[in-house]
Amino acid sequence: LPTGVDEMERQNELLNAALEYAREGLYVFPLTPRGKTPLTAHGFKDATNDEEQVRAWWTETPDANIGIPCGSNGMFVVDLDVKNGKNGVDVWESLCKENGFSPDCHVFYSTPSNGRHLCYDDPEGIGRNTTDKIGSGIDTRGNGGYVVWPPSVTDDGEYAWIEYGEFPPIPSNLLSLLDAPV
């Protein structure tokens, strides 16, 4: 392939994905190319599903990654990190077993570090943002937080769907863990 074709395909993939998510009703916003920092003045608060605005953002910065605000999209995300000596995937499986809920989620994707993002339905915005509160290598993102969405890419690799469909409800036992004192 001629030089630049792969990068051009990546840019088209990001624009097309951002537009498709907007058509599905998801609010999206651009992040720095190969990064996680918002490119808009008000970050995730600027997110929209207006196709004209989405196209304008990705025309201005074709290689922008895709950000998804959790609250305005009515979702809660469990971020299982596998990096810096932590293995959130293994900790999650143990945590689920100990607390009586399934580690399986019908909507999830891999992160560049071989971690996972598990997506749950949260129309009431009750899920909170935490870091390592419920287990080492497990962060959560809810109202007031955002996540990087596939097919975004960083220098470490790509965010890629493993399974995508309707978001399941947050397990009540998981909510109890989030509310427990530290």
Side-chain angles (χ1 to χ4, degrees):
L1 292 173
T3 305
V5 171
D6 286 341
E7 190 59 32
M8 197 178 322
E9 286 176 5
R10 164 64 62 197
Q11 292 171 2
N12 288 337
E13 182 181 18
L14 288 163
L15 169 62
N16 290 336
L19 285 169
E20 183 59 32
Y21 295 136
R23 286 181 195 116
E24 290 176 12
L26 288 175
Y27 293 90
V28 301
F29 66 103
L31 302 173
T32 53
R34 304 186 80 76
K36 301 178 180 183
T37 305
L39 285 175
T40 62
H42 303 103
F44 70 85
K45 293 177 182 175
D46 290 327
T48 184
N49 59 9
D50 177 77
E51 290 181 46
E52 195 172 310
Q53 179 61 64
V54 171
R55 188 176 302 281
W57 281 332
W58 270 269
T59 298
E60 183 177 323
T61 310
D63 51 350
N65 276 339
I66 300 169
I68 298 284
C70 296
S72 59
N73 282 305
M75 70 174 68
F76 176 71
V77 177
V78 177
D79 177 359
L80 308 177
D81 288 326
V82 179
K83 60 184 176 186
N84 303 325
K86 297 179 180 181
N87 189 331
V89 173
D90 288 347
V91 173
W92 174 253
E93 288 178 9
S94 296
L95 185 73
C96 291
K97 192 174 194 178
E98 292 167 12
N99 290 281
F101 58 93
S102 172
D104 298 328
C105 181
H106 301 293
V107 179
F108 63 104
Y109 57 96
S110 63
T111 66
S113 68
N114 292 317
R116 300 279 183 271
H117 283 182
L118 311 176
C119 306
Y120 294 95
D121 190 38
D122 187 14
E124 306 299 319
I126 54 180
R128 291 197 315 274
N129 300 307
T130 66
T131 301
D132 285 344
K133 178 178 181 181
I134 62 173
S136 178
I138 302 176
D139 300 337
T140 62
R141 296 292 173 259
N143 199 14
Y146 69 90
V147 292
V148 182
W149 210 245
S152 297
V153 65
T154 67
D155 290 336
D156 297 324
E158 185 176 350
Y159 290 81
W161 284 111
I162 296 170
E163 192 170 328
Y164 185 68
E166 192 155 331
F167 297 177
I170 304 172
S172 58
N173 291 359
L174 174 56
L175 288 173
S176 297
L177 290 173
L178 290 169
D179 291 337
V182 178

